[in-house]
Amino acid sequence: MTVVGREAGGVARAVEDYLQHMTVERGLARNTVAAYRRDLGRYRLFLEGREITAVRHITRHDVSAFAQAVVDGSDGGSALSARSAARTVVAVRGLHRFWALEGLSESDPAADVHPPALGQRLPKAISIAEVTAILEAANTESPAGARDRALLEFLYSTGARISEAVGLDVDDLSIDTSQDGPAVVRLFGKGSKERLVPLGSYAARALETYLVRSRPSLAAKGKGTPALFLNQRGGRLSRQSAWSVLKAATERAGITKDVSPHTLRHSFATHLLEGGADVRVVQELLGHASVTTTQVYTLITAETLREIYAAAHPRALG
């Protein structure tokens, strides 16, 4: 079968049209679109390997074969975990649904192809004592150290994603420690969705110290940026650098667990629920579109209760 991939109805062009749709019309975040591009790029190469470069020639058998290939690596790519394979298949299903709606194919060959079943995986969380040790491990004597403490306090206080934190500008904060009640911060989540999140007093004080004593000296090294968290050159702190800040603090705290910025987000949610917060409030704070996503954290607290009961009740085990 010889079909030019960039012609009308060609797979390569049709994939790009879908990614453009995700970016412009659906307004998905850049990182999300990049993940779709990676997954769909693998699908496109798989189809090319089967000499399929036109949308109308793709069958359900082709889609099913790809779903299996990402699990066992038979397409020449790395074998994916069940969770990553499921994400890839979901991306392909969305692609074909879009093509069918746009009239590029008469039917949807992916409609009945389902991702591999996932086992229940609970988010990782660390204890309050471990979080405290990490936060206190930041050396606040240098401008960069004060920034690090402010960043870590901010992540745990708000449950923000790392991309949300490093994307903040100074004007997104509303800090006034002389007023009653917590300060607030404006976060921009997936799809540029905006939400207001309270900022605890520890984080507010750490941020105020950083803004007054440290950020000006960091900003003086750059060309001027509204970014809240600055690097040593006065530019916006990157996600990779923020990750390194947490890794260094974790090592100084003597914690050997694998701790990532998302670990602080998971811990934020878990500790709120353990403290009695309503799951829908936590959903709003995390910026989850569905409460179902947030409810996985309730499984953690239920597991904690079972462990305590088993250890404390005289007739729990026997």
Side-chain angles (χ1 to χ4, degrees):
M1 177 180 306
T2 304
V3 182
V4 179
R6 296 295 294 182
E7 70 177 6
V11 171
R13 176 63 178 270
V15 168
E16 287 301 320
D17 289 344
Y18 179 60
L19 293 170
Q20 185 73 4
H21 163 77
M22 302 287 274
T23 302
V24 177
E25 297 186 33
R26 292 187 56 185
L28 296 188
R30 182 170 55 185
N31 291 336
T32 302
V33 174
Y36 272 94
R37 181 178 295 279
R38 181 174 59 251
D39 293 338
L40 297 179
R42 180 169 180 172
Y43 182 51
R44 180 177 58 79
L45 290 174
F46 172 82
L47 293 173
E48 289 179 359
R50 296 167 79 91
E51 298 186 350
I52 300 172
T53 53
V55 171
R56 67 182 181 275
H57 294 142
I58 302 172
T59 66
R60 183 186 185 282
H61 177 72
D62 296 317
V63 181
S64 296
F66 176 71
Q68 181 60 43
V70 296
V71 172
D72 58 27
S74 58
D75 64 336
S78 59
L80 301 180
S81 66
R83 184 169 297 275
S84 295
R87 182 203 65 222
T88 302
V89 173
V90 167
V92 170
R93 280 167 56 91
L95 174 70
H96 278 285
R97 186 164 54 249
F98 173 78
W99 284 346
L101 290 172
E102 292 293 305
L104 292 178
S105 59
E106 295 181 0
S107 61
D108 181 356
D112 296 325
V113 178
H114 300 288
L118 297 176
Q120 181 65 63
R121 188 180 74 172
L122 298 180
K124 296 178 181 178
I126 56 178
S127 69
I128 296 174
E130 288 171 324
V131 171
T132 302
I134 292 172
L135 298 180
E136 294 181 348
N139 178 9
T140 59
E141 307 219 347
S142 67
R147 176 208 61 201
D148 295 349
R149 178 62 178 267
L151 172 64
L152 297 177
E153 289 277 8
F154 178 85
L155 289 172
Y156 179 61
S157 180
T158 63
R161 301 175 179 91
I162 191 64
S163 57
E164 294 172 343
V166 298
L168 280 175
D169 292 338
V170 174
D171 289 344
D172 294 322
L173 289 178
S174 175
I175 301 177
D176 186 351
T177 54
S178 67
Q179 299 295 319
D180 293 334
V184 295
V185 60
R186 182 173 54 175
L187 295 177
F188 298 91
K190 293 183 176 179
S192 299
K193 292 180 180 178
E194 180 180 336
R195 69 186 188 278
L196 292 177
V197 179
L199 191 65
S201 60
Y202 285 88
R205 285 195 295 270
L207 280 165
E208 194 168 42
T209 298
Y210 162 65
L211 288 170
V212 173
R213 300 180 185 175
S214 301
R215 188 182 181 280
S217 63
L218 292 174
K221 301 176 183 178
K223 298 180 180 180
T225 173
L228 174 60
F229 295 111
L230 303 181
N231 59 31
Q232 294 278 26
R233 299 179 302 280
R236 187 181 296 273
L237 191 71
S238 68
R239 295 172 62 195
Q240 292 78 9
S241 295
W243 187 295
S244 297
V245 167
L246 175 59
K247 181 179 180 181
T250 301
E251 291 176 352
R252 283 196 298 271
I255 295 174
T256 57
K257 294 180 180 178
D258 185 16
V259 178
S260 71
H262 230 59
T263 305
L264 292 184
R265 179 170 162 85
H266 295 327
S267 302
F268 163 85
T270 302
H271 298 163
L272 278 174
L273 289 167
E274 289 177 343
D278 183 86
V279 67
R280 292 195 177 274
V281 173
V282 178
Q283 173 198 355
E284 183 70 22
L285 293 174
L286 290 174
H288 285 161
S290 170
V291 72
T292 303
T293 307
T294 315
Q295 282 174 333
V296 68
Y297 294 100
T298 65
L299 299 176
I300 299 175
T301 56
E303 182 63 30
T304 300
L305 289 174
R306 282 194 290 269
E307 291 177 358
I308 294 173
Y309 179 87
H313 196 283
R315 298 182 70 82
L317 302 173

